[in-house]
Amino acid sequence: MTANKVKRIIVEGPDCSGKSTLVERLKNELHWDSKSLHHIPGNQFSRYLKEYANQEKIVFDRSHFSENVYAKMWRGGSPFSCEEKFLLDKISKHEAIIIFSIPKKSTLIKRYMERNFKQQISLSDLKRSYLYFLREIGAAEAITYRSESYEELDTLIKKIKREVK
């Protein structure tokens, strides 16, 4: 994190990775809002520029990193030019904390199988998205959250609270 004041938190990662639990805890502990940035049709570059510029004290559930992963998987390629992706990566780091929730692949699969509702993603696509998200972490310079225990979650929340204050 830079010396700038933290205004946003971005929580990223594949389905079943613990994002929702983390977002909810951050929202409650920090008394911030949260917003899901799942895909919606339109110009994705403009959409994310606007979201990042106009939101403060917010925890984003997903971001342009997810948009990039799922566009490559399901829509034939990245919705961003190289320059747009570079700029969004840079902007997302500015005055923000980026957290990638990325447990072991076996944990994702176990969580997927234990859910009692139909998933929007197939198990094979979940496994594939895991690899794409691992590649995105490098560009993000993010905090890696393994999402394997409540103790780890508590430690991460305490760390984020210190950085936000």
Side-chain angles (χ1 to χ4, degrees):
M1 184 61 228
T2 66
N4 294 319
K5 185 175 191 260
V6 175
K7 295 181 180 179
R8 293 172 290 286
I9 299 171
I10 294 170
V11 178
E12 270 294 358
D15 290 37
C16 306
S17 67
K19 287 183 316 304
S20 296
T21 301
L22 177 55
V23 167
E24 195 62 28
R25 280 285 304 274
L26 287 167
K27 176 183 163 186
N28 291 333
E29 296 275 340
L30 299 173
H31 306 289
W32 284 16
D33 289 329
S34 66
K35 184 173 185 177
S36 173
L37 293 181
H38 289 80
H39 176 75
I40 57 172
N43 181 310
Q44 300 307 315
F45 179 66
S46 295
R47 173 182 175 220
Y48 287 102
L49 276 179
K50 180 181 171 190
E51 291 290 352
Y52 296 158
N54 294 326
Q55 303 285 343
E56 291 189 16
K57 291 191 174 185
I58 189 145
V59 181
F60 286 124
D61 180 354
R62 299 208 180 271
S63 69
H64 74 282
F65 297 107
S66 282
E67 190 69 48
N68 201 44
V69 164
Y70 293 114
K72 286 178 180 177
M73 285 179 53
W74 295 330
R75 293 183 284 281
S78 177
F80 312 113
S81 69
C82 290
E83 294 81 12
E84 289 171 341
K85 176 75 167 69
F86 176 80
L87 185 59
L88 288 171
D89 288 351
K90 188 173 180 176
I91 291 169
S92 66
K93 294 173 201 171
H94 183 69
E95 302 176 338
I97 295 172
I98 304 168
I99 304 167
F100 265 78
S101 183
I102 195 90
K104 294 181 280 189
K105 190 189 287 187
S106 60
T107 300
L108 286 180
I109 294 167
K110 180 178 182 269
R111 289 175 181 168
Y112 181 92
M113 301 305 282
E114 289 175 348
R115 289 195 171 172
N116 292 325
F117 56 89
K118 177 144 174 59
Q119 301 291 297
Q120 290 184 328
I121 191 169
S122 69
L123 183 57
S124 63
D125 278 347
L126 176 68
K127 292 175 187 177
R128 210 170 71 164
S129 74
Y130 181 81
L131 298 174
Y132 280 99
F133 275 106
L134 286 175
R135 289 184 203 127
E136 287 289 322
I137 289 173
E141 297 177 17
I143 294 170
T144 302
Y145 167 56
R146 291 291 172 197
S147 179
E148 298 288 342
S149 72
Y150 286 112
E151 292 80 19
E152 180 192 10
L153 176 59
D154 290 340
T155 300
L156 178 60
I157 296 294
K158 288 175 187 170
K159 177 181 179 177
I160 299 303
K161 285 174 81 171
R162 282 190 306 270
E163 289 198 35
V164 167
K165 299 216 181 243

